[in-house]
Amino acid sequence: MIRVWLNLALASQREALAEALKARGFQVAEHPFNAQVGLLEARWELPPPPPVPAVVLLQNGEQATQALRLGYKGYLYPEQGLEVLAQALRKVAEGEIWAERRVVAQVVGEPIPQLSPREKEVAALAALGLSNKEIAQELGISERTVKAHLSAVFQKAGVKRRSQLAHQYIAAKLNVLKGAYAPPEVLDALTWAENFFHTYGPASSLSKSLVNQARYYAGILGQYNEGKIGLGHCSE
């Protein structure tokens, strides 16, 4: 039985779809980390993909390429029915891609940013939580050189900042303390971030799975802070 996590805006729609999927042999998970596959819906912009293989319900065909670039393993158009949805979820849960060949070819054909050997070394140490000073000492280079390498890595990887989760957490928490409404997914993200900060220090070694979780929740909080979900808003 495939475990699926549903993240849809309307509770009534989510409940109806959950019943329909259960009738087709699926089990609905309450949390993405307990699921084998996720299902989300796009609005004006695509939400960040969860830390499990996921399918996204698109608003229009123009979002297809972006969905694969973001890391979704499949997508569906509004006019496609429930049977196609169930098939897509099964295939993605099995490790396959559910997308049009032309879109896959377009994404696969794009150049992938390559890191230099030194950039890989710096990125690996940064991922372990080492500070710029510690990385410099480990590699026998200056902190200024470390910063230059990290800037190059972040630019190639599309990462804005090293402390992305902390930044978005603080901004979202301030919004909530000021009385802004926070939907359930934002409250979940805040709780996860608080547990993360209490458990792991700056020099803690983080697994790839944990890094993916942090990236996912930072994305949720970022959308909240930008006013794209809920009523949260903040400025840099």
Side-chain angles (χ1 to χ4, degrees), residues 46-234:
L46 290 169
V52 293
V55 175
V56 61
L57 302 174
L58 303 179
Q59 292 288 338
N60 55 70
E62 296 177 356
Q63 296 175 314
T65 301
Q66 183 188 4
L68 296 187
R69 287 173 179 162
L70 282 176
Y72 283 99
K73 302 303 181 182
Y75 59 81
L76 292 169
Y77 294 119
E79 65 272 12
Q80 293 177 291
L82 187 57
E83 296 304 327
V84 176
L85 170 61
Q87 187 178 2
L89 291 174
R90 289 192 183 95
K91 292 297 183 181
V92 170
E94 293 169 359
E96 298 187 26
I97 300 294
W98 188 272
E100 298 157 286
R101 290 184 179 179
R102 62 174 180 82
V103 177
V104 174
Q106 181 179 348
V107 174
V108 172
E110 294 177 349
I112 301 175
Q114 298 294 323
L115 300 181
S116 69
R118 180 62 87 185
E119 288 171 349
K120 290 179 181 179
E121 290 178 329
V122 172
L125 293 175
L128 293 175
L130 272 67
S131 66
N132 289 353
K133 183 177 181 179
E134 291 170 331
I135 294 174
Q137 292 174 343
E138 181 72 22
L139 298 179
I141 57 179
S142 68
E143 286 188 56
R144 183 175 181 180
T145 302
V146 171
K147 291 179 181 178
H149 284 312
L150 284 175
S151 295
V153 170
F154 293 164
Q155 183 177 7
K156 291 179 180 180
V159 178
K160 292 181 179 179
R161 57 179 65 85
R162 191 172 178 174
S163 57
Q164 201 167 26
L165 177 63
H167 172 87
Q168 298 296 358
Y169 167 79
I170 292 170
K173 192 70 173 180
L174 287 174
N175 284 330
V176 173
L177 291 174
K178 291 177 182 178
Y181 167 73
E185 62 266 33
V186 172
L187 296 178
D188 286 345
L190 287 171
T191 299
W192 189 92
E194 288 169 1
N195 291 332
F196 176 85
F197 295 136
H198 288 153
T199 304
Y200 299 97
S204 298
S205 178
L206 305 179
S207 66
K208 182 177 180 181
S209 173
L210 194 60
V211 171
N212 287 337
Q213 292 176 33
R215 184 179 296 115
Y216 168 70
Y217 283 119
I220 291 292
L221 295 176
Q223 288 202 23
Y224 174 68
N225 292 330
E226 293 170 8
K228 295 174 182 176
I229 57 176
L231 300 178
H233 182 74
C234 79

Side-chain angles (χ1 to χ4, degrees), residues 34-54:
N34 297 327
Q36 296 167 274
V37 62
L39 177 66
L40 297 84
E41 64 176 337
R43 300 180 188 176
W44 300 279
E45 292 189 9
L46 290 169
V52 293

